[in-house]
Amino acid sequence: MARRGETHSAAMLDARAGASSLNIAPTAQSNLADLARSVMTQPAIDAVLAHPRFAEAARRTVHGWAPRPGDDLSKSRALQDVGLFAAGLWCMQLDASPAGLTHSSLTAAITTWGLASRGRVGPMLAYLRFRNMIQLAPSSDRRITRYTPTVHLRTQFGIFFERELHGAAPIFPEAEALLARWGEPGLLSRMVTAYSTILLASQQMREPDDGPNLDVFSHRRAGLIILGQILTAADDGSEFPPAGPVRLVLSDLARRSAASRGQVQAVLREGEKAGFLLRDEDGLTVLSDDLRRHVSDFLPMYWMALAWAARVTLGEDSA
């Protein structure tokens, strides 16, 4: 999540959450912006930026975006795509709802917020099955075809949230508390719905942005992972986000991001076009002040979203 017109790229999701009851698919009139405003106040953001462990949490977070040795890359790559990430969250949410995951419930979810047309739902379900994200579910009503997330999808979201909570933990004790119980039955489903709620709230709070923002990276496949590796390469151990200069090696970025050289080139090109990645007289890359500001805006909001979702998951807060 982000402020001043930015948003986490998966912030187009459909859910509401409460500490004791989580409801799927709010109506089009639901206004969650006040939730985001109450959680992400400017004093709270400033406190996170001034926290003595800010740099530690930032480094943990961007390191956590990259694949690790032992990861099944054929599976983890699905969540590198913004559209598939969002669709996966919808599927996880709807599966936990009374209506379940069906053509009708998915149609209601994506059309409520104007995210896609009804005609896209059938092909979307077929593609999600092709990517091994959902499968047919047993149903007592033969008139309705039900789906359920695959073990693969649940596993990938479990890994995702575990790593993101680890990044937030130096500043937010609720993230550490949830990690201590991670793996307990029901926690992942509650976390998915709560996280989606606060992301949707931030989307409703979003203000127009006249200039480029982190969507430059996040709207490209593996874009945030590649941005994380750029930040890591430029990091000299002092301030964070770093400024550089740094010599970026295409093959190294591709290897550490588990992305193709073409994907990395596309992200670098868009970053340069937006004025985020500059070249000095020696041909080294400098991270612009504007990019560093956007990253500094993004991280506190992102951690606050995770922390709020963690509190809801643990039953300590409500929507």
Side-chain angles (χ1 to χ4, degrees):
M1 296 183 46
R3 71 201 246 256
R4 298 173 191 161
E6 293 180 22
T7 183
H8 186 282
S9 297
M12 303 183 300
L13 304 165
D14 184 68
R16 299 193 70 179
S20 59
S21 175
L22 299 177
N23 300 316
I24 308 300
T27 67
Q29 288 73 40
S30 299
N31 187 347
L32 302 179
D34 286 345
L35 168 62
R37 294 188 187 100
S38 69
V39 172
M40 301 162 206
T41 65
Q42 192 60 51
I45 293 169
D46 293 341
V48 172
L49 289 169
H51 196 283
R53 299 184 71 184
F54 174 86
E56 176 189 353
R59 290 184 174 99
R60 278 195 190 190
T61 297
V62 299
H63 291 169
W65 292 343
R68 299 180 184 179
D71 283 358
D72 186 336
L73 297 181
S74 65
K75 295 180 178 179
S76 63
R77 284 194 179 104
L79 297 190
Q80 294 181 9
D81 180 273
V82 168
L84 286 177
F85 183 94
L89 279 176
W90 290 333
C91 292
M92 294 281 287
Q93 292 169 252
L94 291 168
D95 182 63
S97 72
L101 176 57
T102 66
H103 187 287
S104 295
S105 66
L106 185 59
T107 299
I110 68 174
T111 58
T112 292
W113 301 103
L115 303 176
S117 66
R118 293 176 180 271
R120 295 287 304 277
V121 176
M124 181 183 293
L125 287 168
Y127 185 68
L128 293 173
R129 290 187 66 188
F130 171 74
R131 293 300 301 263
N132 192 31
M133 296 175 73
I134 62 173
Q135 61 190 6
L136 290 175
S139 175
S140 58
D141 188 344
R142 295 185 178 181
R143 297 169 300 176
I144 301 175
T145 301
R146 296 185 181 277
Y147 303 89
T148 190
T150 60
V151 172
H152 149 58
L153 183 62
R154 296 180 193 276
T155 298
Q156 291 308 310
F157 271 114
I159 292 171
F160 167 80
F161 281 116
E162 186 174 17
R163 292 180 181 176
E164 300 307 287
L165 289 165
H166 177 74
I171 298 177
F172 294 92
E174 52 267 64
E176 191 72 54
L178 183 54
L179 282 173
R181 294 177 50 187
W182 200 245
E184 290 183 13
L187 286 183
L188 177 59
S189 294
R190 295 202 297 273
M191 182 66 180
V192 165
T193 304
Y195 181 69
S196 300
T197 298
I198 195 67
L199 289 178
L200 178 56
S202 74
Q203 176 72 3
Q204 292 186 350
M205 189 179 70
R206 180 172 182 163
E207 299 174 356
D209 195 336
D210 295 332
N213 55 52
L214 292 188
D215 287 350
V216 166
F217 299 98
S218 62
H219 282 189
R220 293 206 166 261
R221 187 170 177 82
L224 280 181
I225 297 174
I226 294 167
L227 172 60
Q229 291 306 306
I230 293 171
L231 292 166
T232 298
D235 187 11
D236 62 3
S238 56
E239 62 180 355
F240 200 95
V246 61
R247 187 175 302 281
L248 296 178
V249 180
L250 190 64
S251 58
D252 287 346
L253 288 176
R255 175 178 52 80
R256 294 199 302 267
S257 303
S260 70
R261 291 168 64 97
Q263 288 169 342
V264 174
Q265 283 180 318
V267 169
L268 294 178
R269 183 169 56 248
E270 291 303 311
E272 291 177 358
K273 187 186 302 183
F276 287 155
L277 303 176
L278 312 173
R279 294 294 182 94
D280 68 8
E281 59 186 12
D282 297 319
L284 302 179
T285 298
V286 176
L287 282 61
S288 73
D289 291 342
D290 201 28
L291 173 58
R292 296 168 64 217
R293 177 181 63 81
H294 278 295
V295 172
S296 293
D297 282 349
F298 170 80
L299 289 173
M301 304 287 280
Y302 182 45
W303 296 329
M304 287 177 181
L306 287 165
W308 181 88
R311 293 195 299 274
V312 171
T313 301
L314 293 169
E316 299 173 359
D317 208 335
S318 62

